[in-house]
Amino acid sequence: MSNRYISFLFLLLVAIFLAACSSNATYKQGEEKKKVNLLFNFATSSLDPNVDTSYVSLRAGITETLVHLNDTNLTIEPWLAKSWDSKDGQIWKIELRDGVTFQNGKTMNGSAVKASLERAIKDSRAIKNALRIESIEANANTLTIKTTVPFPEFPSELVHPNTSIIDVTETDYINKPIGTGPFAVSSFTPGTAVDLIRYDGYWNGPAKLESARFSFNADANARSLALQSGAADIVFRPAVESLENLKAVKGVTIDSTSTFRVHQMTMNLERKPLQDVNVRKAVDALIDRKAIVETILKGHAEVAAGPFPSTFSFAPDYPEKKSGLEAARTYLKEAGYTEANGVMQKNGEPLTFKLLTYSSRADLPLIAQVFQSDAGKLGINVKIQLIEKPEEYMAANRDWDLTTYSNLTAPRGDAGYYLNATFHPKGALNFSGADDDKLTSLIDELNATVGQEKRSVIAEKIAMYVDEQVYNSFVLHPNTLVAYKSDKVKNWMTSRSEYYMLTNELDVNK
């Protein structure tokens, strides 16, 4: 064998050995890569942070808002804004944080934030109505914002996920919004998942994770199974009936945390039967709240007397209500209905309800079925329709009577958000079509009031009036349920506001 051939063979073996080493190193590096997969209950077809009602961009750490909610004490605190001030509640000076960059490396300054807020106002009716901005001026890192009316609680509205700040010069908002958060979008498959990579230039220190996946599945049982099989590391709202099995899995922790959410029966006040307060009282009386909490939620909820959990200062002490089949029958009799041949009717017209529900919150269809069964005992025909996107459907269609719906009521520790959104004629979530001059006047008074004590008094008065008129029925306040692999995941915090999930502090054990 020639020396030349031996040399060639030696070089070839060295190359193979180095390639094998390289391959092995890559494999180990891949194994050790810090990554988590969070499985969420709402799918989204868009990451546009200014209009997406699933708030995925904020929850996944892609975007941030000017103001942050402290989940512990329910106070607002600086985030992208370092301070704000107003002498009259109408003209606001906002100082932006220095040294913040977007995920494309561009500096976040006053002009960029102005453009982002103006884009949000233009594209989102909800944000336009919530912020009530008349004008914005930018000078370096200072914003001067004038609202249409004195609005003392304006800064708290800047917590809303749809006010997220993005670089509007990067226009693929649906697939790849460019925010200031710790994670940038790597890829997005609508309805399936968004894959994320660490943004090393993040102003508050690079994320401990190198990458993450924020995936979606509306099936609560499938989410639970994904955690058990190892396909997911963190699961938002696992199936309640699976909790005991999950608790038995080594290394799994379950958080059950009180939140600011209410499950309600939204009533379409444009439908003739529901324009009678006695019919609305009958609907309310048919809801067996205690049984629903105990059987469907397995105790992971609080019975609701109104929209706000009892821990809030603006949750009134409501008068005791009549409930049950006989109470509902009495209310219907007062509304002119009689039961004939097993059918509840008035002037020969049977009482029927079209009830909407959606499966991404697994308990809502079950609540709808319980209501359907109980209403049937009074001869009321309830037809249940499963929908995918409740906000879009209720806004675009008025052919329904009732909807089992879930909403955050005081995510900023204040009643203003829910009352404005749900009961003001211009409210983005006013799906019931409430347009009551007295109610609107009270909400306008709340909006102009400074100081939590004074605001709580007015909010309590509004809540009592809503209760008297039975503008929607309030069923329960569900706990936020999160199951996660605590033997792998470090620094996970279950947010009471449900806004903050993938953060720069989230980590995994090696």
Side-chain angles (χ1 to χ4, degrees), residues 21-97:
C21 288
S22 175
S23 175
N24 190 47
T26 302
Y27 176 73
K28 285 184 177 178
Q29 184 181 3
E31 274 193 324
E32 295 171 0
K33 189 173 184 180
K34 288 189 172 186
K35 179 180 181 179
V36 297
N37 179 16
L38 184 149
L39 189 53
F40 193 56
N41 60 322
F42 273 103
T44 186
S45 57
S46 168
L47 295 178
D48 188 337
N50 298 141
V51 297
D52 171 31
T53 55
S54 296
Y55 310 149
V56 170
S57 286
L58 185 85
R59 286 168 165 155
I62 302 164
T63 62
E64 298 170 309
T65 52
L66 293 175
V67 180
H68 188 271
L69 178 69
N70 185 310
D71 263 359
T72 302
N73 56 25
L74 304 184
T75 59
I76 57 175
E77 58 192 15
W79 208 7
L80 293 180
K82 64 181 180 181
S83 65
W84 51 85
D85 184 51
S86 176
K87 294 180 180 178
D88 59 4
Q90 187 167 13
I91 298 176
W92 293 86
K93 293 280 187 183
I94 297 177
E95 295 294 332
L96 301 177
R97 191 178 295 277

Side-chain angles (χ1 to χ4, degrees), residues 34-38 209 211-213 233-234 489 502 506 508:
K34 288 189 172 186
K35 179 180 181 179
V36 297
N37 179 16
L38 184 149
L209 297 174
S211 63
R213 171 168 258 226
D233 304 305
I234 306 167
V489 178
L502 298 185
L506 192 62
V508 294

Side-chain angles (χ1 to χ4, degrees), residues 413-481:
D414 185 86
Y417 161 74
Y418 178 82
L419 297 177
N420 275 280
T422 307
F423 298 115
H424 198 283
K426 294 182 179 180
L429 303 179
N430 186 359
F431 304 120
S432 63
D435 192 355
D436 181 322
D437 289 344
K438 180 178 178 180
L439 182 55
T440 303
S441 177
L442 284 169
I443 295 171
D444 287 340
E445 182 185 354
L446 175 68
N447 293 336
T449 301
V450 182
Q452 192 56 57
E453 286 189 18
K454 292 180 181 178
R455 289 179 61 79
S456 291
V457 170
I458 299 169
E460 188 174 345
K461 189 184 298 185
I462 296 171
M464 285 294 289
Y465 184 75
V466 167
D467 181 68
E468 291 167 10
Q469 299 301 316
V470 199
Y471 289 149
N472 301 333
S473 280
F474 305 98
V475 183
L476 56 87
H477 302 291
N479 285 5
T480 293
L481 294 172

